[in-house]
Amino acid sequence: MSSYTAPLKDMQFVLNELAGLEEVAKLPGYQEATPETVAAILEEASKFAIEVLDPLNYSGDQEGSKWSDGKVTTPKGFKEAYRQYVEAGWPALPFEEAVGGQGLPKLVATAVEEMLTSSNMSFSLCPLLTQGAIHALILCGSDALKKAYLENMVAGRWTGTMNLTEPQAGSDLALVRSRAVPKGDHYLISGQKIFITYGEHDLAENIVHLVLARTPDAPEGVKGISLFVVPKFLLKPDGTPGERNRAKCASIEHKLGIHASPTAVMVFEDAVGYLVGEENKGLAYMFVMMNAARFSVGLEGVSIAERAFQRALAYAKERLQGKDLVQGKTVPIIRHPDVRRMLMLMKSQTEAARALAYVVAASMDVAHKSSSKEEQKRHQAFVDLMIPVVKGWITETGNEVASLGVQVHGGMGFIEETGAAQHLRDARITTIYEGTTGIQAGDLVGRKIAREAGATVKGWISELGRFDLELAKSANPDIQVLRSRLAAGAQAVQECVEFIVGTVTRDPNAAFAGAVPFLKLMGITAGGWQMARAALIAEKKLSKKEGDQSFYSAKIVTARFFADHVLSQAPGLAVTVTQGSAAVMALTDEQFLAA
Ligand SMILES: Cc1cc2nc3c(=O)[nH]c(=O)nc-3n(C[C@H](O)[C@H](O)[C@H](O)COP(=O)(O)OP(=O)(O)OC[C@H]3O[C@@H](n4cnc5c(N)ncnc54)[C@H](O)[C@@H]3O)c2cc1C
């Protein structure tokens, strides 16, 4: 079974050439992120991913986490790996120095996160959820809560969870029923939560659950939900974990993938909880954090795609089967045009998705740290527009790439021992949790496009227009093809935006029926934009004979492939969005069932 290699060359290219690390490092507080420091961090993270996490990925999947009498045991090696993760200081990487973090840009943390997730997605979920809980506390917690919990969480000694989902409340959190009854300086929380990632485990000294619940007089619906900290162990006066709280793990789920990540059913029976922020604002707080969590899940799509691609490529170089069409000799399958097509689909979409994700991460940094309010606002609007695209399109792409990885392996892909199947199984959850693709697409069409009559997306389309003028200057025929496909993509987005804005009030079903195809159109156009930028930079490097010439010429070929095989779908998607809605809604429920 092939092992993971960190794609440092492409990461460095994207960080430095596309996402503008140099500019990000000029933002207040990010001066440490010099190219040398960042290169050293990535090198260290890649070692940890390759040497510690990757060897546990397959065994962790096979063994899975185990539940017994309320306790969860993670697979062999996970505890030790987590200890090393904490000792090396990785948990603190993305947080501000004021809370004990290392104060590095989101952009740098993104590259590190990609490697941890590629090498072991199940492991990476524990830090991911902990980061979400830390963000919630930083943004909305009282000073007392911050003082009690943040330091240990940022250091990774305690982990965090997000307890939102209940059996009757999944995509629709307005239906949350868990109760929170005030008692002195705290609340007593009761209810059942399902699907709670790392809700119980043996990796850390304490687990800090963030729980959505309703106080007795809370209004119905989304306006009556509050957020609480419910620790597994209550804190003693000296701040260390003491008595066990009444928050129990009733069982863990048996799942299609991410077997090593325990997905817990949590039962709260008068568990002691502390209000985060104000009553009835819990869902608003969740929304504040959602960009970060949805971004991270989108990045899981990049990570899985990269890993699946590497595995398929290694297999394609070794597997002898079939004759070369020209020379007639038995060859490794990588020589067959169709296998190469699949590998190129994997490679080009992974690179496009990585570029888009990192560019959005850089915008998050600017939105967060820029000294210009106008710049902050502009970047935040771009981030808000792109988050559903990063989450929805990249995770769907991750699934497609993982599925292609199985296909490249032939029958061996369907057999667990090669590891290709695990990537497909692991990838499958990414389009579901943290808001399904349908929910992301609805957010894109409703909140991000229709609500502001397409203002931000129109700004982005204009940016594509300005970029077209730069592409026009290139004499490279591949770049000219990219240019025309990107222009067609921008035109398709424009048509769909006009359709959505013009239809949404009159016929909302028609506007939302094409939401997922529209999300895909946005994804391939944004991915194509980044690949075209990459190709233009590569062309310049090649003409000046700077840097790794083979890398840059491959980049142009890969971008051209993306244009012809992926971005070329844009006009068809516009047809689906603008003309395909009537048939979506036309059948009666009975007609659906008619044989
Ligand atoms: C492995 C795993 C880990 C998880 N981890 C956590 C966790 O740590 N914390 C937590 O709180 N939750 C967690 N979840 C829950 C997860 O976030 C939900 O499963 C997800 O939000 C979808 O909710 P649901 O399963 O109830 O599906 P439903 O909401 O019932 O959706 C079913 C289908 O209907 C569609 N749909 C629903 N509403 C709409 C709508 N308004 N418009 C269009 N389509 C719609 C969906 O897209 C989907 O296709 C986890 C789930 C799993 C499986």
Side-chain angles (χ1 to χ4, degrees), residues 129 162-165 169-172 194-197 255 258 263 429 432-436 438-439:
L129 270 298
M162 304 301 299
N163 277 253
L164 321 183
T165 307
S171 301
D172 188 358
I194 59 167
F195 297 158
I196 305 308
T197 300
K255 312 190 291 290
I258 51 166
T263 306
I429 187 59
I432 297 172
Y433 59 17
E434 211 40 72
T436 61
I439 295 294

Side-chain angles (χ1 to χ4, degrees), residues 249-586:
C249 172
S251 62
I252 58 172
E253 306 294 350
H254 299 102
K255 312 190 291 290
L256 178 65
I258 51 166
H259 290 155
S261 163
T263 306
V265 174
M266 296 298 302
V267 175
F268 300 89
E269 287 172 329
D270 285 338
V272 172
Y274 306 96
L275 182 68
V276 178
E278 292 173 37
E279 276 187 17
N280 300 332
K281 295 211 171 145
L283 213 60
Y285 299 151
M286 285 286 139
F287 270 106
V288 175
M289 295 157 34
M290 235 162 234
N291 272 355
R294 291 186 166 175
F295 177 86
S296 284
V297 176
L299 191 65
E300 286 175 359
V302 178
S303 305
I304 289 279
E306 173 65 39
R307 189 69 192 92
F309 167 62
Q310 289 185 12
R311 201 179 287 289
L313 179 63
Y315 186 78
K317 285 179 180 169
E318 278 172 13
R319 170 71 172 162
L320 296 173
Q321 199 74 187
K323 302 237 182 319
D324 181 284
L325 289 174
V326 179
Q327 294 171 347
K329 287 191 300 201
T330 299
V331 285
I333 57 171
I334 195 170
R335 299 303 327 153
H336 300 308
D338 187 57
V339 174
R340 294 180 82 82
R341 180 192 61 82
M342 290 191 280
L343 291 170
M344 285 301 288
L345 268 176
M346 298 175 85
K347 177 178 165 64
S348 66
Q349 293 193 92
T350 305
E351 289 181 17
R354 173 178 297 119
L356 179 64
Y358 285 31
V359 162
V360 171
S363 261
M364 285 170 149
D365 284 323
V366 181
H368 184 45
K369 290 278 188 176
S370 172
S371 44
S372 147
K373 286 274 170 263
E374 190 282 324
E375 201 178 38
Q376 280 192 350
K377 215 172 132 201
R378 192 160 41 81
H379 280 268
Q380 190 59 50
F382 176 72
V383 169
D384 290 342
L385 175 70
M386 285 297 166
I387 285 294
V389 180
V390 167
K391 163 63 168 88
W393 174 63
I394 297 184
T395 57
E396 292 288 344
T397 300
N399 271 272
E400 183 191 332
V401 170
S403 179
L404 282 164
V406 170
Q407 194 71 13
V408 168
H409 282 77
M412 290 308 285
F414 201 66
I415 306 299
E416 289 290 348
E417 279 80 351
T418 55
Q422 185 190 346
H423 302 317
L424 180 57
R425 289 188 289 97
D426 286 354
R428 198 62 195 83
I429 187 59
T430 60
T431 61
I432 297 172
Y433 59 17
E434 211 40 72
T436 61
T437 308
I439 295 294
Q440 303 305 322
D443 179 49
L444 178 65
V445 164
R447 295 178 67 233
K448 309 294 168 62
I449 306 268
R451 190 185 278 181
E452 54 164 36
T456 307
V457 74
K458 284 178 189 164
W460 177 57
I461 295 168
S462 303
E463 189 172 342
L464 293 181
R466 288 190 292 277
F467 178 54
D468 180 74
L469 302 176
E470 276 184 57
L471 289 170
K473 293 179 201 151
S474 166
N476 182 308
D478 289 325
I479 291 179
Q480 285 316 312
V481 172
L482 268 158
R483 181 188 169 212
S484 70
R485 301 247 186 274
L486 186 58
Q491 171 66 27
V493 172
Q494 169 98 32
E495 276 171 36
C496 292
V497 169
E498 278 164 20
F499 170 78
I500 289 165
V501 172
T503 317
V504 72
T505 316
R506 185 171 40 85
D507 185 356
N509 281 334
F512 282 86
V516 168
F518 176 66
L519 180 140
K520 180 173 180 188
L521 170 62
M522 287 285 290
I524 64 175
T525 307
W529 169 45
Q530 292 309 320
M531 291 307 270
R533 289 184 64 214
L536 211 52
I537 292 161
E539 187 199 19
K540 290 195 181 113
K541 298 278 184 190
L542 287 169
S543 70
K544 289 187 194 159
K545 300 214 172 352
E546 270 176 27
D548 184 336
Q549 300 287 287
S550 162
F551 174 84
Y552 291 123
S553 63
K555 195 51 112 178
I556 294 180
V557 172
T558 309
R560 167 72 195 260
F561 179 94
F562 187 88
D564 288 344
H565 289 252
V566 184
L567 185 52
S568 54
Q569 296 162 26
L573 285 165
V575 172
T576 307
V577 174
T578 57
Q579 295 172 46
S581 60
V584 170
M585 302 306 292

